[in-house]
Amino acid sequence: MMLKTPNEIDIVRASTSKINEVDFENLSFGNTFTDHMLVCDFRNGQWEKPVIKPYEPFLIDPSAKVFHYGQAIFEGMKAYKDKNDAVWLFRPDENFHRFNKSAVRMAMPEVPEDVFIGGLKAIVDLERDWVKKGLGNTLYLRPFMIAIGSGVIAQPSTQYRFMIILSPARSYYSGEVKVIIAEHYSRAANGGIGAAKAAGNYSAQFYPQKLAQEKGFQQIIWTDDATHTKLEEAGTMNVFFRINDTIITAPVSERILDGVTRKSLIQLAKRDGIKIEERSVLVEEIVAAAKDGSLKEIFGSGTAAVVSPIVGFQYQEHYYELPKLENSIALQLKDKMTKIQYKLAEDTFGWTVKI
């Protein structure tokens, strides 16, 4: 894939860099940011010229629509550095297309390719020293858009701000993950915004997740809003189940996010002859498989951790421990995908894009 670069992009360089003040061996995920950010505003029905400028706070009207009606969307991506110091993106076209699907659903303007993809290329190239070599080292990329038009009338904004900020990250590890299957709360509903990467989807999860954590669980496996019988996502991740040697995951829908990591794992599994099914997954099916020993693995997938193995789950006050396996398909898939991202294995799909 060729990256499209903006015809015009202003770059205002920071007078000094923070990079030498950063302890790259002890990074807390998402709390340290690079020297620059990209900003591009939508006003009077069109996108203005994007600018890369020093990372800094900015002023916004207290009546901005983002504060009152939640028009905000984002993406999560990463840049990787190979052993030859080349910097790569992973499937940025997928994030670009999903971002604009989210924009349409939230009544926001679509971002042009030269601003989104070209802007990514420009700012990652400028900040390439922040991408450290070594397996597990990445630069997390956060493109997002918010409604900045003023006024508290309940209608879409006419002014928006698209931005990209960057955060160096180490290998993401959250320890043992135990989950609870939701019996009341839902992540999304039919006709809602579950398939959009909208900010409100995540804030709505915080309270039920807090309740789960108070019971000793790290995440929730969400069930469908209508019957709570179908398993859909795990926390902020897509979720996979292994029964015997078959991997099963719910199909994407207007309730389930079309995860880039999810679809990449599915393609890897199919390439390598691992049996995988995209279909509805019933709670009773997984409970029955846990009881008879055929449930071998549950794992989440997402940008931060790539694959997050789940060691056990609770449903209706009963806890089911999963077996500890030497032949984990989840970890095999994670290893294969990570090696592609870091250019340690051949990219047979053409997923990686050089900066």
Side-chain angles (χ1 to χ4, degrees):
M1 173 189 169
M2 295 296 292
L3 284 181
K4 191 174 180 183
T5 306
N7 294 325
E8 292 184 350
I9 184 166
D10 289 338
I11 298 179
V12 181
R13 292 179 179 269
S15 56
T16 58
S17 176
K18 307 185 295 276
I19 195 166
N20 292 328
E21 302 168 14
V22 175
D23 181 1
F24 284 90
E25 297 300 316
N26 295 286
L27 290 168
S28 175
F29 184 81
N31 287 324
T32 300
F33 296 94
T34 65
D35 296 317
H36 299 88
M37 61 186 189
L38 181 140
V39 182
C40 187
D41 286 351
F42 180 90
R43 301 177 191 272
N44 301 315
Q46 63 184 10
W47 287 99
E48 299 176 350
K49 182 192 294 187
V51 58
I52 294 174
K53 58 191 290 188
Y55 184 96
E56 62 184 2
F58 57 87
L59 293 174
I60 188 169
D61 195 289
S63 70
K65 303 272 188 186
V66 65
F67 297 139
H68 302 273
Y69 303 111
Q71 277 186 293
I73 60 174
F74 68 94
E75 279 294 323
M77 330 168 47
K78 285 180 177 178
Y80 309 82
K81 183 171 281 185
D82 68 20
K83 60 184 179 182
N84 298 315
D85 287 324
V87 176
W88 301 82
L89 301 181
F90 183 75
R91 308 192 77 176
D93 53 325
E94 293 286 346
N95 295 94
F96 166 64
H97 293 305
R98 187 174 66 182
F99 189 87
N100 279 337
K101 286 181 181 178
S102 297
V104 169
R105 181 62 183 84
M106 298 298 290
M108 304 169 85
E110 295 181 64
V111 176
E113 184 179 358
D114 61 344
V115 174
F116 189 100
I117 296 287
L120 277 171
K121 176 183 178 182
I123 193 168
V124 172
D125 187 39
L126 181 64
E127 304 283 50
R128 62 173 52 242
D129 288 346
W130 288 80
V131 193
K132 298 303 182 182
K133 281 195 294 192
L135 208 58
N137 293 320
T138 60
L139 186 62
Y140 182 78
L141 320 178
R142 173 53 66 92
F144 65 99
M145 178 164 53
I146 58 173
I148 59 171
S150 58
V152 295
I153 185 170
Q155 64 185 27
S157 178
T158 58
Q159 299 177 20
Y160 296 88
R161 178 161 294 168
F162 171 73
M163 299 185 65
I164 303 173
I165 56 177
L166 316 177
S167 177
R170 291 278 289 169
S171 182
Y172 187 88
Y173 178 71
S174 56
E176 287 197 342
V177 178
K178 296 180 180 181
V179 299
I180 188 168
I181 293 178
E183 298 178 60
H184 173 70
Y185 294 102
S186 294
R187 177 188 172 274
N190 284 331
I193 59 171
K197 207 160 172 66
N201 283 339
Y202 296 81
S203 58
Q205 295 180 34
F206 293 160
Y207 176 66
Q209 185 169 313
K210 174 177 176 285
L211 297 180
Q213 289 171 343
E214 288 172 353
K215 294 182 178 180
F217 298 91
Q218 286 71 45
Q219 291 288 357
I220 298 170
I221 294 187
W222 302 104
T223 50
D224 69 289
D225 64 297
T227 66
H228 295 290
T229 61
K230 298 176 183 177
L231 297 161
E232 300 200 322
E233 292 197 14
T236 58
M237 303 178 290
N238 295 114
V239 65
F240 294 77
F241 305 87
R242 175 187 171 189
I243 296 180
N244 292 320
D245 288 326
T246 300
I247 304 294
I248 309 163
T249 190
V252 295
S253 68
E254 58 186 352
R255 299 189 307 273
I256 298 176
L257 192 70
D258 187 9
V260 178
T261 304
R262 173 193 177 276
K263 66 175 61 177
S264 302
L265 293 174
I266 290 171
Q267 287 178 257
L268 275 172
K270 289 179 177 178
R271 182 197 71 179
D272 295 344
I274 298 169
K275 189 175 181 183
I276 190 159
E277 299 175 357
E278 293 180 77
R279 62 169 176 81
S280 292
V281 186
L282 298 178
V283 176
E284 62 182 17
E285 174 186 13
I286 296 305
V287 170
K291 288 179 178 178
D292 68 23
S294 59
L295 180 64
K296 306 300 183 184
E297 296 183 81
I298 304 176
F299 57 96
S301 71
T303 300
V306 182
V307 165
S308 183
I310 291 166
V311 300
F313 69 92
Q314 179 170 298
Y315 180 64
Q316 293 183 341
E317 303 303 320
H318 188 85
Y319 180 72
Y320 301 87
E321 188 84 23
L322 271 67
K324 291 179 170 59
L325 303 177
E326 292 184 3
N327 63 334
S328 164
I329 292 178
L331 296 182
Q332 290 173 29
L333 289 172
K334 179 177 182 177
D335 181 66
K336 290 174 181 179
M337 186 159 148
T338 301
K339 283 179 176 174
I340 291 173
Q341 291 169 330
Y342 286 90
K343 308 303 288 184
L344 297 172
E346 183 184 1
D347 177 9
T348 60
F349 300 98
W351 286 340
T352 51
V353 177
K354 190 174 184 180
I355 295 294

